[in-house]
Amino acid sequence: MSEPHTPPAPKDDDVRSQSRRMTRRSFAVGAAALVAGWAGHRWLSTSATEDDIPWPLRRVLGFNERLGSAAFRGQRLATTFPPERALAADAMRVNGTIGLGGAFDPATWMLSVESDRGDAQRFALNDVRSVARSEMVVELKCIEGWSEVFSWAGASLGDFMKRYRLGTRSGSAPDPEGNPADLYSYVALETPNGGYYVGLDMASALQPQTLLCYEMGGEPLTPAHGAPLRLAIPVKYGIKNIKRIGRIRFTDERPRDYWAENGYDWYSGH
Ligand SMILES: Nc1nc2c(c(=O)[nH]1)N[C@H]1C(S)=C(S)[C@@H](COP(=O)(O)O)O[C@H]1N2
Ligand SMILES: [Mo]
């Protein structure tokens, strides 16, 4: 495989664009004095950050949490394509083998799911398959500069979390609109051997096109594409589409991320 070498062009990350939406929302409800207007935007972009979120935005986030769930509304969808645009399974490019080395037996594979609460559960592939099937035809965009249209099938991560009551502090099913504060802030995913790992903000994790994917090109995943289960997250670059997921952890601590540790943007949206 070829590894990405050139960082992507600097661009607004998810939080920045989210901050603009939230700023407008806050303005509408009377928090104008805090962050509104052009000066506020300038201020946001120059202010000190903690966990990469500028502090005025953190204040807005807290404000909106009381109001409801601004972070989970109005989320952008990735462009979808007609099915005939999708590559056939045997024509799909394979890229990236980090974390896929060593002995691995798909027959004994189980998905571990944990959270900061200290709970741990294990799921078989059939547990994922029994969640409503989602299909989509979207582009995988690699930071190396190529993109390809793939068809994907799996369970949306949000549906999986609702079905098994995952990702919340209370242990209830997630309710991003009604009770956003109950959700952990981040999702960490890693390969069974821990060699590749990805961090997601919860809003991106719950975007409906984020799938726990078990089929590509109309066929079961091959080992090279991440069998038995990989992530499809079309609002992010390819690097976030982790293959062969072994473990998922819901957490309030921003997860480490393989390519972020190698100089890429932690959010890596596009
Ligand atoms: N475990 C693992 N997942 C990975 C990678 C990797 O090296 N290891 N590479 C990523 C990158 S850079 C891309 S572009 C996509 C490619 O997915 P594909 O091989 O199914 O085309 O997988 C992503 N997921
Ligand atoms: Mo990539």
Side-chain angles (χ1 to χ4, degrees), residues 4-219:
H5 291 297
T6 319
K11 55 191 286 300
D12 284 346
D13 63 30
D14 291 353
V15 161
R16 277 286 150 69
S17 48
Q18 200 172 71
S19 80
R20 291 202 190 85
R21 286 199 297 279
M22 289 181 168
T23 298
R24 275 187 229 113
R25 185 178 304 275
S26 306
F27 194 102
V29 296
L34 256 184
V35 288
W38 180 84
H41 291 162
R42 293 292 303 217
W43 180 44
L44 266 182
S45 59
T46 55
S47 55
T49 62
E50 180 186 303
D51 287 333
D52 287 348
I53 301 175
W55 71 259
L57 175 56
R58 274 184 278 120
R59 192 173 283 198
V60 173
L61 279 166
F63 184 75
N64 277 328
E65 224 160 57
R66 290 194 299 277
L67 282 181
S69 54
F72 300 102
R73 275 200 292 267
Q75 276 206 77
R76 180 171 71 90
L77 288 180
T79 306
T80 57
F81 296 82
E84 59 272 19
R85 282 288 309 280
L87 289 168
D90 58 4
M92 296 185 308
R93 182 168 180 160
V94 169
N95 199 57
T97 57
I98 303 161
L100 304 184
F104 174 71
D105 182 3
T108 57
W109 171 94
M110 296 277 278
L111 175 67
S112 299
V113 181
E114 299 157 26
S115 80
D116 280 356
R117 247 184 315 134
D119 56 326
Q121 295 181 66
R122 302 186 83 206
F123 296 90
L125 191 57
N126 275 338
D127 299 325
V128 181
R129 285 186 172 278
S130 70
V131 175
R133 177 186 174 91
S134 293
E135 295 178 355
M136 63 186 182
V137 178
V138 293
E139 220 166 17
L140 180 88
K141 294 188 188 180
C142 179
I143 44 176
E144 294 167 6
W146 55 269
S147 62
E148 286 191 346
V149 177
F150 292 149
S151 71
W152 312 78
S156 94
L157 179 56
D159 287 346
F160 176 77
M161 290 165 59
K162 282 189 182 122
R163 166 74 181 274
Y164 298 109
R165 300 171 174 265
L166 302 167
T168 57
R169 301 165 213 286
S170 66
S172 316
D175 178 11
E177 300 273 318
N179 191 5
D182 194 28
L183 285 159
Y184 287 106
S185 303
Y186 300 103
V187 185
L189 304 102
E190 62 180 49
T191 55
N193 69 3
Y196 195 79
Y197 38 92
V198 157
L200 303 175
D201 56 285
M202 185 57 84
S204 298
L206 290 175
Q207 198 269 12
Q209 295 168 310
T210 299
L211 306 189
L212 294 174
C213 168
Y214 42 73
E215 278 176 33
M216 287 176 75
E219 294 183 10

